Amino acid sequence: MARRERPLEGEDGPLLEFATALRRLRHEAGSPPYRDMAGRAHYSVATLSGAAAGRRLPSLDVTLSYVRACGGDVGEWERRWHAAAARLAAAGAGPGRAEAPGPRAPGAQGLPYVGLAPFRSEDAALFFGRERLVEDLFTALTRHRVVALVGASGAGKSSLLHAGLLPRLHADTPARAVTVLTPGPHPLDRARHALADGPGPADGPGTAERVLVVDQFEEVFTVCADPAERSRFVGELVGAARRPGSGCRVVLGVRADFYAHCTRHPELVEVLREAQVVVGPMSAAELRRAVVEPARRAGLTVEGGLQATLVAHAHGQVGALPLLSHSLLETWRRRRGAALTLDGFHAAGGFEGALAQSAEALYDSLSAPQQRLARQVFVHLIALGEGTEDTKRPVDRAELGQDADTRTVLARAAALRLLTLGDGAVELTHEALIRAWPRLRGWLTDDRERLRRHRQLAEAARAWEAVGRDPGALLRGAPLALARELTAGGGPVLTAAEAEFLAAGTAAESAAGDRARRRTRRLRLLVGALAGLVVVAAVATGSAVRAEDEVTRQRNDAVAQNLAETSAGVAAAEPGLAVQLGLTAYRLSPTARTRDGLLSALMTALPAHGKEVVAVAYRPDGRQLATASGDRTARLWQTRGAGRPDPVATLGGHGGPLRALAYRPDGHTLATAAADGGVRLWDVTDPAHPAVAAELPSREPDVRALAFSPDGRTLATAGAGGGVRLWDVTDPAAPAETAPVPGHRDTVRAVAFSPDGRTIATGGEDTTVRLTDVGDRTRPEPLAVVGGHDTAVFSVAFAPDGRTLAIASGGRTPIRLWDLAEPRRPAPLATLTGHTDVVGAVAFGPDGRVLASASDDRTVRLWSVARGARPAPLATLTGHVTAVGSVAFSPDGAVLASGGYDTTLRLAGTDLDRALAGACAHTGPRITRAQWASYMPYLDYSPPCSGLESP
């Protein structure tokens, strides 16, 4: 009989609610004893009972193991955990602190990483990796009166100024006065105030030296609405520094995509020509310092695999630093004792996913009215780009309202460091949130035109106030109608000044009714005159038709592009509708983008595991597919082409997350490898009843890759410490080690046999790929080392003819092809560009003419490699909402399977023409007139699949 649990104690709150829900789940499962649950969950009795004690939030892994042991819904409980974590963070008690207090760091808030926020001067003790650039900037400032610091969004300009330059200036001359400002809506006032506050007279001999740092200089273009004030601001800044006898120096932090805006001002052209410092991506060594040193100062360690993964993600990515810092902070919250681990990183959502996961946790923690309010708040804090990327903009706190729900949204967002509150203003903590949070990007896509109208209304209201509320500055006619339409149906919250401006315009329009009627009469006369011109217009019919065709084409292109994006957004909830939208888009404008959108909508998607899918492999006959996951299981699936597969069996028993799997060429044996170093050989002759045939002796603490030789007699395993081992598996029930393969200095992440079985390729975190002759399995002989990669190598694949090797990595060259005609002298063949993040897997199709690649940028790409040195892109498949870690072709090449960190398995047909032709066979009820009007109001109702039944 199960022992009764102690009653929960403490105040009501997220911890108590979470613990109560866990206990209720156990009760509904029949109150199994914790000893029985421990056997199923692979956690101790104390750990599981502590999860439901209500004293602290258990880790995500412990929570999900508890839920599985009780037969609960893993997906639902993962969402519950993140919502509870967000509420705790908003209350100042994040899950990391509740779970494992650990040592405290030397930062201003006791954290080793600052997260999404830029470094401040008080965070200088945590600022590593930019030492050389700080010296370059300091040297430039000693030589020039005005210096521009130029870099992309997310390159670390603000952090460099605050945590790098400011401490360097004070260390050089402690008495030097340094003032930091951002332009804001009225930059001239701020500049004059800063200059007036300097020590001593404004200029003249003997003036004490001062430095004026203008951070986020681009605000002068995005927030300041007055071109004249903008020009005077620039003139006064540069003039104050260059005035004879002045003791003032000026540093401008400028976002790179506003470089052209700066060149419109002659004073800035001279500055940019003479004195600019460019902020580029950090080197691998600098990134390692930025990752490791803050942890070391706090008495923490960073797991080697985590270091390599983070460096691989961020290396060569100029705008990746906010995502790196945020993922580190969230990994720290999920640390294990004093160690930051790769498992914690994945639990946080990975590189980009950590930020999106934090934002989604905030959203899920809000009530429905608060969620609607959060949408208004976040989009209101963004300045829409005009030829540039969207940017953040500070907003006066009063513009957002003072009600309780608004205060809750702002407080919780600030606690998660998504928003910054201070000096009466609210702003996004960093623009990286715009890029990394899919929900926010969707809001901006949906609301872009409405947001532009609101910005125009706000600017018009400010102009009206500036001219003493002159009636001549009021909106009239169509602009007024659009402004009134803006506020209908749950539009944006207007400030008091905007509401008064709109009301005054409405009143003025009503008073001008007589004038409007007179205008109507005049318009009727004009219409009569225009009717006479119709005869003349007939002469130009040919030109008009051509012009109309061009207008129609441009409209179709725009509508099709929007439809393709919309199709991707609704695919998860309404796949049938997504296909019809994608098909309509492709027929309107058959471009590569609309084709890719339709092909992505046609992919079969299903949740395959409770955690990330790290590997996929087809049985050689193509009738079965295996998947491996971080949830410590592998699964077998009965395949049906590109259709939805049926689950057959689950393979468990590993003591850690799975890393890799591979079928023996006879299809009767499946090998699986795990993070605990365990490698198992499974007899899958009867797929419904798989059995362990043998377990290899553990040689490494973490096995990362597996590969069978083409004859099935040898298994290669690779993992931590550079270990690559060969095993004789002629009898799968009695494997025996034959020889180690030496060479690598760090963890090996990839291994593959050549088609003839004589060569093995291995790649790892030492950034190299090594080719080894294994014709004699007892005496491997090194052949060649392939270098030139910026970061760790994550995947290698031989073409079926054995003459080409594909290598997947990160940095500037994520995919490279090598000619192996002479294995001892590999020659570079081609570089494939297009992915925007680390490429984790590559696979050749069975005919060797197509290569597939999977990336952390959430896409799967198909490449034509038939021409060797001149590869070409074929298609880009989307749908995974986080990183894609694995790809595999079916043996006949007709289907491509991909596994992602979003826990899903996706199957796509590779015959693009056939997939497009048969699209209507993969949809549901015909799109309704209401749906059509919602998505395509400017097109006549014409369902792309007319033979379908109505819903």
Side-chain angles (χ1 to χ4, degrees), residues 10-44:
E11 299 178 359
D12 290 341
L15 281 179
L16 199 63
E17 292 175 8
F18 196 80
T20 301
L22 280 176
R23 291 189 175 194
R24 186 183 305 115
L25 175 67
R26 178 170 173 250
H27 175 73
E28 291 171 351
S31 299
Y34 276 115
R35 185 178 301 278
D36 293 349
M37 290 173 60
R40 295 195 291 269
H42 305 291
Y43 277 101
S44 68

Side-chain angles (χ1 to χ4, degrees), residues 308-326:
T309 299
L310 290 170
V311 171
H313 277 85
H315 192 264
Q317 306 296 323
V318 70
L321 296 184
L323 299 177
L324 174 67
S325 187
H326 184 80

Side-chain angles (χ1 to χ4, degrees), residues 72-110:
D73 185 326
V74 171
E76 175 191 348
W77 276 92
E78 185 164 2
R79 290 190 293 273
R80 284 193 183 190
W81 186 91
H82 286 301
R87 292 176 63 190
L88 286 169
R97 289 187 296 277
E99 182 183 335
R104 291 179 67 81
Q109 298 183 28

